[in-house]
Amino acid sequence: MKSLHAQHHALADSAYQLTVLNPAEAAGAAFPPFAGKLRAAGLLPLRPTAITTLQVNVGKMCNQTCRHCHVDAGPDRTEIMTRATMQDCLDALAQTDIEVVDLTGGAPEMNPDFRWFVEQIAALGRQVIVRCNLTIIVANPKYYDLPAFFARHGARVVSSLPHFAAARTDAQRGEGVFGRSVRALHLLNEAGYGIAGSGLSLDLVYNPAGAFLPGSQAGLEREFKQRLAREHGVHFNRLLAITNLPISRFLDYLLESGNYAGYMDKLVQAYNPAAAASVMCRSMVSVGWDGQLYDCDFNQMLDLPVAAPAPRHIRDFSLAALQARSVVVNQHCYGCTAGAGSSCGGATAG
């Protein structure tokens, strides 16, 4: 499957996605403005609490082309972060006490400077999170040592596994992905990841395979742990349940399947003010592959940069200015505030 970008699909244009999310009143099917929900809860303008995470997208290149991907990543994407931009990130970190650097993509490991970047972040004493799609570990011999590399630098590994059933995972991420993912999980377990007492954290990410919200994160975690251990001998630490946001390929799926209006209605009806108060954009800054700054990875993919007067590029990083900014919101934000809430760290509210 090609990316929307390679297909020259209308939804490859972020501006067009925003017109779908914000139809003119005359077009009908409009949903209540998300900003109005925040205003009613006393949360507008939405402000950061404390910036503890720098999330860095090191490129859109990926060895998979998943049906739900909000990044529209794939083997045909060539956008990649340069070492110079990585150095800008390191310079920004050195002037702050930001605790966590969350590396994402695409498959971040495909960036040729990925290992150098991880080493430099670790040398600054910051926690590294790697968003690993698992199959990259077994995709090529040059990646086989990734579990040992991750362990050597104390990286926390967060990996997508949509379901413990092969058919459900393969339907979302591609034929044979489940089997390759299990092989990668065994290699991570052998390196100590997910094993009690090792100090090496392995978390799995669940996201629904259709136009519905995730169930209880705690309940899903129990079921995943039981089934993966019993049927595949796989162990992990936590399960993170993440709601699919109506962006890029998942938006394409919703429109093609006729589920868009129904799904948006589910998100709006499930809006939770407690989840809104705990959204991840209040504690992070997101860096694009080209160094541009965003409130979160989702805003990044919709080309919604941080609001002025905050700096727009990592080379101009100012923690004080970013701490004082107003977070940019739009209709897709309903996905992070529905039900138990959703963030890169899983559910945000009870």
Side-chain angles (χ1 to χ4, degrees):
M1 184 172 71
K2 291 183 178 180
S3 67
L4 298 177
H5 178 80
Q7 296 175 45
H8 305 290
H9 195 292
L11 288 173
D13 179 1
S14 59
Y16 179 71
Q17 291 187 57
L18 288 169
T19 66
V20 173
L21 290 167
N22 298 274
E25 286 188 21
F31 295 95
F34 181 76
K37 296 286 188 179
L38 291 184
R39 184 178 292 109
L43 291 169
L44 195 71
L46 191 64
R47 303 280 191 186
T49 48
I51 298 173
T52 59
T53 300
L54 189 71
Q55 188 171 72
V56 184
N57 187 306
V58 299
K60 297 186 179 184
M61 187 181 298
C62 190
N63 62 309
Q64 295 181 178
T65 314
C66 300
R67 291 180 60 192
H68 70 293
C69 183
H70 71 278
V71 180
D72 192 29
D76 55 47
R77 300 305 298 264
T78 58
E79 300 92 333
I80 205 84
M81 182 175 280
T82 64
R83 185 177 288 210
T85 303
M86 290 178 174
Q87 185 61 58
D88 289 336
C89 294
L90 295 169
D91 292 344
L93 284 168
Q95 60 177 278
T96 75
D97 57 359
I98 289 175
E99 303 164 4
V100 177
V101 182
D102 189 343
L103 301 180
T104 185
E109 302 90 343
M110 294 182 76
N111 184 303
D113 291 310
F114 168 77
R115 296 187 190 226
W116 174 84
F117 196 29
V118 170
E119 289 165 355
Q120 299 303 309
I121 297 166
L124 288 174
R126 313 306 165 92
Q127 172 68 65
V128 177
I129 295 176
V130 178
R131 303 272 167 178
C132 177
N133 69 15
L134 293 176
T135 63
I136 191 66
I137 293 174
V138 295
N140 186 295
K142 69 180 179 180
Y143 300 123
Y144 290 175
D145 69 329
L146 279 172
F149 174 79
F150 295 153
R152 193 157 59 248
H153 297 286
R156 175 184 163 201
V157 178
V158 178
S159 296
S160 294
L161 191 72
H163 208 263
F164 48 74
R168 293 273 292 273
T169 291
D170 288 359
Q172 187 179 108
R173 301 183 73 84
E175 187 176 352
V177 165
F178 183 81
R180 295 194 295 275
S181 296
V182 167
R183 292 203 300 275
L185 286 166
H186 284 150
L187 293 173
L188 286 164
N189 283 170
E190 289 169 13
Y193 277 96
I195 305 303
S198 70
L200 297 173
S201 180
L202 171 61
D203 297 335
L204 298 184
V205 174
Y206 162 85
N207 60 292
F212 54 92
L213 303 183
S216 160
Q217 182 170 279
L220 285 165
E221 180 178 290
R222 285 192 297 272
E223 190 171 15
F224 266 69
K225 284 189 170 181
Q226 291 169 0
R227 294 289 295 272
L228 288 175
R230 183 173 71 243
E231 297 172 17
H232 303 285
V234 164
H235 305 279
F236 66 96
N237 295 97
R238 296 190 304 152
L239 184 80
L240 312 179
I242 296 182
T243 300
N244 288 315
L245 266 68
I247 295 174
S248 192
R249 286 190 208 140
F250 189 69
L251 179 56
D252 181 42
Y253 156 75
L254 292 173
L255 293 170
E256 287 292 318
S257 63
N259 281 302
Y260 174 71
Y263 187 70
M264 287 300 298
D265 187 61
K266 284 188 178 75
L267 296 183
V268 172
Q269 295 303 319
Y271 169 78
N272 181 355
S278 303
V279 284
M280 62 186 175
C281 50
R282 305 191 78 185
S283 61
M284 74 153 49
V285 174
S286 175
V287 188
W289 66 271
D290 55 358
Q292 298 296 319
L293 298 180
Y294 305 86
D295 297 303
C296 70
D297 193 50
F298 301 116
N299 279 12
Q300 181 182 148
M301 299 312 149
L302 288 171
D303 291 318
L304 296 171
V306 292
R312 294 284 180 90
H313 197 280
I314 189 66
R315 73 171 73 93
D316 304 314
F317 189 89
S318 166
L319 186 63
L322 288 162
Q323 188 74 49
R325 78 190 192 276
S326 297
V327 173
V328 176
V329 299
N330 208 288
Q331 296 299 79
H332 64 291
C333 300
Y334 275 115
C336 290
T337 58
S342 178
S343 74
C344 289
T348 59

